[in-house]
Amino acid sequence: MGARELGLPERVGPVTGMPRQVTIWEVGPRDGLQNEATTVPVEVKLEFLDRLAAAGLTTLEATSFVHPKWVPQLADAEELLERLRRVAGVRYPVLVPNERGLDRALAAGVRHIAVFGSATQSFAERNLNRGFDEQFAMFEPVVSRARSEGVDVRGYLSMCFGDPWEGVVDPAQVVRAGRNLLDLGCTQLSLGDTIGVATPAGVERLVTAFTSAGIDVAGLAVHFHDTYGQALANTCAALRLGVSTVDSSAGGLGGCPYAESATGNLATEDLVWMLDGLGIDHGVDLDALVATSTWLAGRLGRPSPSRVVRALGG
Amino acid sequence: MGARELGLPERVGPVTGMPRQVTIWEVGPRDGLQNEATTVPVEVKLEFLDRLAAAGLTTLEATSFVHPKWVPQLADAEELLERLRRVAGVRYPVLVPNERGLDRALAAGVRHIAVFGSATQSFAERNLNRGFDEQFAMFEPVVSRARSEGVDVRGYLSMCFGDPWEGVVDPAQVVRAGRNLLDLGCTQLSLGDTIGVATPAGVERLVTAFTSAGIDVAGLAVHFHDTYGQALANTCAALRLGVSTVDSSAGGLGGCPYAESATGNLATEDLVWMLDGLGIDHGVDLDALVATSTWLAGRLGRPSPSRVVRALGG
């Protein structure tokens, strides 16, 4: 008999400090698919979104309005959103890099957007073609226009724990970047370990730096990559401090888990397994989610890097 | 530039409750290799052990005196131990299932052995051909003779969190099994999540059950499998309670990480990355260890499942 039929994982929690409920911010359709070399048909993306919603996920980062030249995989954003079968109670945020992206998003009827900031000067220059301080000037009209239209804005911060050019990142600088985004009008911050180098001690230090600066933990999300195998341990550390929004990607989609530069996202299935054991509500049907990731892996032509999908997938 | 050259992972700890130093009990040469389908030459095993010691590991579970019919891969135990170049300060424990195995181990000059008990009735019957209570009678002469010869005895307990036939395992029963092994003369218990189903809440509950029963945490080790991706998060939970001996396997050797029944051990490299970030001393040179696992993966003809080895390996 399988582990699931035997009642595993056992629901043991709650653990001190952890929230009773967690919102999983599913990034697979956007962050997961954006680096796929082969174009994924819009019909597959739509079925993927349908199945994720049916599995109980309530926040699906659907696509991006980055210029198609930079992310050709998501060049079908308008068509996808036009054909998307929206499910009641499910949010479909999209990534918006600039005002032109916001125009496209608003025209498509989007109600939740995310901007993508950097915690470091080096990555701001390389990814945004802006300096550390200048990036906020770029985001200002995007966030203010969005908010004036009643659109919710998440602020991503990348390289919060380490940067591939600068190495160690000062938590005070990350807090400063986060404060800037909140002051612009962002309603949530997602703290990203873009290159996967964080460990639980660093997570504790950074989350504590935010709360010590008077920023409510309810407005913080965490976004871990499993490059060095630390993503779930880091997530657990954040939960202990009360973080209740966690980013993850169905099946661990994202980056290339088999290359030297492995940068896979935390797999939603592995997160759900842990949340189940911790007694934290999340609303996701694990078996339906595993079936979805197994199906998508078949469409992408390679196995999911998620341990749970490998163990339970057909 | 690579993460290591940039000073990553950053040493951030210590974290409340965690030990300042951890002993890594390296099980790769025994638990890792025992399920390899193709016979690994004794010369490769010897070089593996040499390189692990050179990388700074001080406890190397070298082989097993289980009957060669059951574990043909380790049928060369006598030759291995005769040719082994023992390094000062390094322990080379071996697994011993019964008195016949003990005779062989003592004849080979072994000073540290481990017996392999079960926390459940079902696994005791299937793995040991004994009932839950009867297994201790089987271990009694092994442990007492070993101790009278001045040989140190570790007691493994398998299926401490879940069992493939029984499902959920009662912590009180695990504590009872552990108490029995300690009463026989075992000097350390290794609490094993043999099928990888535990989550951090279950780890906290079990370790606390042991300490509440008056069993010193200094005598406890943890042994996690990554079947559902939980091994490192579980290890972190144990460290928070003061556990200071952690089992792991270089490169994540063990089981078959690509099969449905994936049962890989926690990878030593992924553990070392986390310990570095937590500011916990361990004595291991991560780069030398990655080089060792990369070399062995080449000899075994398939990539290591360790995320750190994949990210850093050549």
Side-chain angles (χ1 to χ4, degrees), chain A residues 215-244:
Chain A
I215 293 168
D216 189 353
V217 73
L220 299 179
V222 287
H223 183 111
F224 293 116
H225 283 236
D226 211 28
T227 319
Y228 300 93
Q230 312 293 307
L232 199 61
N234 289 341
T235 301
C236 193
L239 294 174
R240 287 178 191 273
L241 295 175
V243 170
S244 60

Side-chain angles (χ1 to χ4, degrees), chain A residues 10 204-205 240 258, chain B residues 10 204-205 240 258 310:
Chain A
E10 186 185 6
E204 283 197 10
R205 185 178 60 174
R240 287 178 191 273
Y258 302 105
Chain B
E10 186 185 5
E204 283 197 11
R205 185 179 60 172
R240 286 178 191 274
Y258 302 104
R310 285 171 182 236

